Amino acid sequence: MLQVEQIDYIRLEANQKGCTYSGVASRMNLDPRTVKKYADQEKFEQRGKVVRPSPIMDPVKPIVDKWIKEDLKKKKKNHRTAKRMYQQLVKNHSFKGSARTVRDYVSKRKRELKEYIEESSLPLDSTPGTAQVDFGTAPFEYNNVVIDLPYLVMSFPFSNCFYFQVFPSENTECLLEGLQRMFHYMGGVPRTIRFDNLSPAVKKIGAKGERELTETFERFVLHYGFQYEFCNPGKGNEKGHVEAMVKYVRNNFLLPECFITDLDHFNEAQWQLAEEDRDRLHYDKNVLQSVLFSEDEEEWLILPEKKFECARREEVTADKTGMVTVDKKLYSTSPRFAKEKVRVQISYNEIMILNDHNEIIVKHSRLYGAKRKSMVWQPYLHLLSRRPRAIKYTNLYEQFPPIWTDYLMNCTEEEQKEALRLLGTLLKNNDFSLLNKALKQASSHGHPSSDHIKHCFYTLRKDNRLYQEVEPKVKVPPVPEATRGLSHYDAFFKQEVTT
């Protein structure tokens, strides 16, 4: 087909200047009949693409399309090559075409499917396999006190389904822990996830909308391979589905205040509640939401082999008492690290202090709320044993079981030194259970020494070992009953009575 410029030239020369068809054809190196055709043409309709039937490829195109869609959910290194697809078609589907035919079709079809996925991610509210994420807050009753806690919601606009988990904060570690829990419970990763400009994910928004992401969030995205989208600042309506679902979850599952004793146990129960909610018709499509959710599942990416470590590491300097500051909270290390740098691994629920070899020095539960200091005294006990008078200036007694508090208060200074050295040696992971039993047993005859407590401790630990009674394979004959004295020897000295 001629270019638009060529057709314009033909119509100008032939129709307006009166040149002959053959003269124009000669100058343009065309057939005169072609010149006449375009000079006389009345309509210039857009010609549709002619699709020629392919008797060889048409029967196997659905199979190849299915393979390509499956591969697009995996890492590139795990994609089947066109050559491998050709071999499978020949072996399993009696394909008679050439490898080149398959290669050309696979190349073209991959381009089309990738373009479709990229374009379809724009109308997020109606595309299977996509999700929206946001935090909400709700009141909870904890230790007889009502507190507000955040909960993370992942909604699926296509099926109108959701998952949610409750956390102690809206920090980066809680966000990533929640997303990872959902991915692994679902068994897949949404292709595209839309977020608000959450501070756990977005560090800074540039003048032209560019976003500087937090380093941990960037690594998380790379690990799971999903595409992320962020709403424009002040445009929360761009994730309207999850905002509506946040309200729906609060009204239907979290009000009135839920009573929480263990947050992890509470969250485990929420998976089933979210799944039971799918057994209703979609508000617009008149189809069960559980059926639509299965279409979401078909479009998810495959999970990576390993989980992501939802934690960040920092290097901080301890003060002269060995305390470090993490997110404006104080955590103890050990006296030997006073004024030295230590590594801190921060997850949503733990703070681990590490040495240069990444070995754990001490482990803390992460602090939230009003409490500002976490003290694990075990690493400090040997230091205190050299200065027992300093105990009264610490909160050591508050952290000890009452039985040990009473014992130490009734000790002399020298006895306190020995007792603290003993605790520094025997106490592991702040577990006083066996030490409490040892002290109670040792105290049964009065005020015990450290050596007496130590002896009871090791005796109890030995007695706590479990032994299995083994049935003997050989039958042992019964042992005759023992008798006291020497009367059984009289049998050797009895005289025979003769008649």
Side-chain angles (χ1 to χ4, degrees):
M1 184 175 176
L2 299 183
Q3 299 294 323
V4 175
E5 295 81 1
Q6 292 174 305
I7 297 173
D8 284 342
Y9 179 78
I10 290 172
R11 293 171 70 80
L12 175 65
E13 293 295 309
N15 295 341
Q16 297 182 28
K17 293 186 179 180
C19 299
T20 62
Y21 297 143
S22 57
V24 176
S26 177
R27 290 195 295 274
M28 298 183 67
N29 197 24
L30 295 173
D31 189 290
R33 288 173 295 183
T34 302
V35 173
K36 181 178 186 303
K37 169 189 167 185
Y38 285 106
D40 297 341
Q41 188 168 332
E42 297 289 339
K43 295 181 179 180
F44 290 88
E45 297 176 347
Q46 184 177 2
R47 294 180 62 183
K49 186 176 179 180
V50 178
V51 181
R52 296 186 178 88
S54 175
I56 300 296
M57 275 302 298
D58 282 350
V60 297
K61 281 181 180 178
I63 299 170
V64 176
D65 287 353
K66 181 173 178 289
W67 289 345
I68 294 173
K69 288 178 181 178
E70 288 174 350
D71 286 350
L72 288 176
K73 300 177 183 179
K74 306 174 184 176
K75 293 182 178 178
K76 188 174 179 63
K77 68 177 184 179
N78 296 328
H79 289 191
R80 282 166 279 207
T81 63
K83 178 181 178 181
R84 180 60 180 156
M85 291 184 187
Y86 167 73
Q87 293 171 344
Q88 289 182 300
L89 289 174
V90 172
K91 181 179 179 180
N92 301 323
H93 301 280
S94 304
F95 182 67
K96 302 299 182 185
S98 66
R100 183 180 181 84
T101 304
V102 176
R103 189 166 61 249
D104 290 345
Y105 178 76
V106 169
S107 175
K108 175 184 137 191
R109 191 65 179 135
K110 277 186 176 180
R111 280 196 310 272
E112 292 174 351
L113 288 173
K114 285 179 180 177
E115 288 172 2
Y116 168 75
I117 290 170
E118 289 172 1
E119 291 173 1
S120 65
S121 65
L122 296 176
L124 190 64
D125 289 359
S126 59
T127 305
T130 58
Q132 297 181 6
V133 168
D134 201 6
F135 276 106
T137 57
F140 294 86
E141 186 177 343
Y142 181 70
N143 287 340
N144 297 320
V145 178
V146 177
I147 58 173
D148 283 340
L149 291 178
Y151 58 98
L152 184 70
V153 178
M154 178 183 288
S155 71
F156 306 93
F158 177 79
S159 59
N160 199 41
C161 297
F162 62 90
Y163 284 114
F164 73 97
Q165 293 281 279
V166 181
F167 286 96
S169 178
E170 294 185 24
N171 56 40
T172 302
E173 294 73 43
C174 289
L175 170 65
L176 301 187
E177 174 69 21
L179 291 175
Q180 180 166 256
R181 283 185 194 177
M182 294 174 188
F183 293 165
H184 286 270
Y185 183 82
M186 290 155 45
V189 181
R191 287 186 177 275
T192 305
I193 304 178
R194 179 173 289 181
F195 300 87
D196 201 351
N197 295 289
L198 299 169
S199 58
V202 180
K203 190 187 300 183
K204 183 179 178 182
I205 302 177
K208 296 183 179 180
E210 301 92 350
R211 285 165 177 82
E212 183 182 350
L213 305 181
T214 59
E215 186 266 342
T216 313
F217 182 77
E218 278 188 320
R219 290 190 293 108
F220 183 84
V221 171
L222 290 173
H223 184 84
Y224 284 103
F226 62 89
Q227 298 293 315
Y228 57 83
E229 295 178 349
F230 290 100
C231 301
N232 291 312
K235 299 290 184 181
N237 59 296
E238 294 178 355
K239 57 173 181 58
H241 188 270
V242 72
E243 289 199 340
M245 200 58 71
V246 164
K247 183 177 180 181
Y248 180 84
V249 168
R250 183 191 299 112
N251 292 342
N252 289 274
F253 300 98
L254 303 179
L255 291 179
E257 296 87 352
C258 296
F259 180 75
I260 292 182
T261 54
D262 185 297
L263 195 54
D264 289 335
H265 184 265
F266 177 83
N267 280 326
E268 280 295 321
Q270 307 315 307
W271 303 119
Q272 185 177 355
L273 295 179
E275 290 172 350
E276 290 173 351
D277 187 75
R278 297 176 197 155
D279 294 328
R280 56 191 176 96
L281 291 177
H282 189 277
Y283 63 90
D284 183 47
K285 300 174 183 177
N286 203 31
V287 180
L288 276 177
Q289 291 183 176
S290 56
V291 175
L292 296 173
F293 188 73
S294 64
E295 295 185 42
D296 270 322
E297 291 176 312
E298 291 174 3
E299 298 298 325
W300 289 343
L301 303 172
I302 292 176
L303 284 169
E305 295 177 3
K306 297 180 180 179
K307 286 188 174 183
F308 181 79
E309 185 180 60
C310 297
R312 74 181 195 271
R313 290 192 178 183
E314 296 179 358
E315 193 174 73
V316 295
T317 302
D319 63 17
K320 64 181 181 180
T321 64
M323 303 292 290
V324 295
T325 302
V326 178
D327 294 336
K328 300 180 180 180
K329 308 284 187 180
L330 290 171
Y331 298 90
S332 64
T333 61
S334 170
R336 71 178 188 271
F337 292 102
K339 294 188 176 181
E340 291 187 9
K341 289 186 176 180
V342 294
R343 297 176 183 176
V344 181
Q345 181 171 303
I346 306 160
S347 67
Y348 86 99
N349 63 344
E350 281 185 339
I351 302 290
M352 289 192 288
I353 314 296
L354 312 172
N355 61 17
D356 291 338
H357 304 290
N358 288 326
E359 298 168 337
I360 298 175
I361 301 169
V362 67
K363 186 187 296 185
H364 296 266
S365 294
R366 187 169 180 178
L367 297 178
Y368 292 101
K371 190 175 180 182
R372 304 193 61 80
K373 185 177 180 180
S374 175
M375 190 73 193
V376 176
W377 280 103
Q378 183 180 349
Y380 291 79
L381 291 174
H382 285 290
L383 177 63
L384 283 170
S385 70
R386 298 197 295 270
R387 292 183 291 175
R389 292 181 180 178
I391 295 178
K392 63 183 179 181
Y393 300 111
T394 71
N395 63 347
L396 179 63
Y397 286 146
E398 297 174 9
Q399 302 211 14
F400 277 3
I403 187 173
W404 277 96
T405 301
D406 296 339
Y407 172 72
L408 288 169
M409 292 181 70
N410 291 316
C411 286
T412 65
E413 184 175 326
E414 193 60 35
E415 287 175 335
Q416 281 187 347
K417 289 181 180 181
E418 293 176 359
L420 290 170
R421 279 197 292 268
L422 179 68
L423 286 173
T425 303
L426 301 182
L427 183 62
K428 303 297 181 185
N429 300 321
N430 282 357
D431 183 4
F432 277 89
S433 55
L434 199 57
L435 281 163
N436 290 346
K437 292 179 182 178
L439 178 56
K440 184 177 181 180
Q441 186 179 34
S443 301
S444 59
H445 300 292
H447 186 78
S449 67
S450 293
D451 286 340
H452 191 186
I453 299 170
K454 181 179 178 181
H455 174 75
C456 292
F457 176 84
Y458 284 115
T459 302
L460 287 169
R461 193 169 73 172
K462 182 179 179 181
D463 291 344
N464 282 343
R465 294 174 185 170
L466 299 177
Y467 294 93
Q468 292 182 348
E469 293 186 3
V470 181
E471 289 288 337
K473 295 183 179 179
V474 179
K475 191 170 183 181
V476 180
V479 179
E481 184 179 356
T483 58
R484 297 178 64 84
L486 301 175
S487 59
H488 52 286
Y489 286 102
D490 294 343
F492 293 104
F493 301 101
K494 282 184 178 180
Q495 296 181 354
E496 292 184 3
V497 179
T498 57
T499 56

